[in-house]
Amino acid sequence: MTDRRRSDDYKQISGYIPLDLALEFKSICARLGISQSDVIEEMTQEWVAKKTGSHSPNSQKDAPKTIADLVRANIAELKRCGIKNLPALAKGEVLPTPGDFAIITSALDISEEERKKIWEETFKISVYHDAKGVKVYKDSGGVKEDECEYS
């Protein structure tokens, strides 16, 4: 994880808000296990997009490649969807079930094409289609194991 305080890619911003709002914000972040920086970054991105009528200038460059990237970039929003193990998912320590992956990508309005790319990049897998949907196999040096279905 990036140490934002020491990174040249991050800059501190600050401002003053009413005490009761600040306390409620901190309380909610703590209760949900979300860093205040992550929430402020998400809110700032949404505000900039709203004011400019576009996405953030880095949206293409920062498009999530793996499930961990996707969760990390949207952890605050996903907390509201009831997804469990988000901190571990964001760090790539665990992987979501196919059902949780469907909930995550639906909540974030991810297209089917992008879902498949993220799933494949996460698992570095081979995918084939059949009449029942898409079969996904974790690649283990030519040996297929841990079969899961993604449809």
Side-chain angles (χ1 to χ4, degrees), residues 81-149:
C81 296
I83 302 294
K84 296 181 180 174
N85 296 325
L86 283 177
L89 287 169
K91 293 176 187 173
E93 295 172 345
V94 298
L95 292 168
T97 64
D100 280 346
F101 180 68
I103 292 168
I104 289 167
T105 54
S106 292
L108 300 174
D109 199 26
I110 305 292
S111 71
E112 184 65 23
E113 182 179 316
E114 192 62 26
R115 289 177 194 207
K116 289 177 185 175
K117 286 179 189 176
I118 292 169
W119 185 268
E120 290 172 11
E121 182 63 29
T122 298
F123 288 98
K124 304 279 190 208
I125 44 100
S126 59
V127 177
Y128 73 91
H129 298 270
D130 68 7
K132 296 179 184 173
V134 177
K135 296 275 187 181
V136 177
Y137 296 94
K138 180 178 179 185
D139 190 5
S140 177
V143 178
K144 293 177 180 175
E145 62 181 1
D146 297 335
E147 178 181 325
C148 17
E149 253 185 87

Side-chain angles (χ1 to χ4, degrees), residues 3-146:
D3 181 357
R4 294 177 182 186
R5 189 173 295 216
R6 290 174 178 70
S7 174
D8 291 336
D9 294 330
Y10 288 85
K11 180 72 176 156
Q12 181 179 359
I13 61 172
S14 64
Y16 292 91
I17 60 174
L19 178 61
D20 59 337
L21 182 59
L23 293 174
E24 185 174 11
F25 172 74
K26 289 178 179 216
S27 172
I28 292 170
C29 287
R31 187 172 58 247
L32 295 176
I34 303 170
S35 84
Q36 294 174 39
S37 290
D38 286 342
V39 177
I40 291 169
E41 181 177 349
E42 180 182 329
M43 289 187 303
T44 304
Q45 287 174 343
E46 290 174 7
W47 185 85
V48 168
K50 182 179 174 182
K51 294 298 181 186
T52 62
S54 66
H55 295 288
S56 109
N58 298 327
S59 61
Q60 287 290 38
K61 181 183 92 169
D62 295 337
K65 291 185 172 67
T66 65
I67 295 170
D69 294 339
L70 183 65
V71 171
R72 195 170 30 257
N74 299 284
I75 196 163
E77 185 173 346
L78 293 172
K79 279 284 188 179
R80 295 181 284 245
C81 296
I83 302 294
K84 296 181 180 174
N85 296 325
L86 283 177
L89 287 169
K91 293 176 187 173
E93 295 172 345
V94 298
L95 292 168
T97 64
D100 280 346
F101 180 68
I103 292 168
I104 289 167
T105 54
S106 292
L108 300 174
D109 199 26
I110 305 292
S111 71
E112 184 65 23
E113 182 179 316
E114 192 62 26
R115 289 177 194 207
K116 289 177 185 175
K117 286 179 189 176
I118 292 169
W119 185 268
E120 290 172 11
E121 182 63 29
T122 298
F123 288 98
K124 304 279 190 208
I125 44 100
S126 59
V127 177
Y128 73 91
H129 298 270
D130 68 7
K132 296 179 184 173
V134 177
K135 296 275 187 181
V136 177
Y137 296 94
K138 180 178 179 185
D139 190 5
S140 177
V143 178
K144 293 177 180 175
E145 62 181 1
D146 297 335

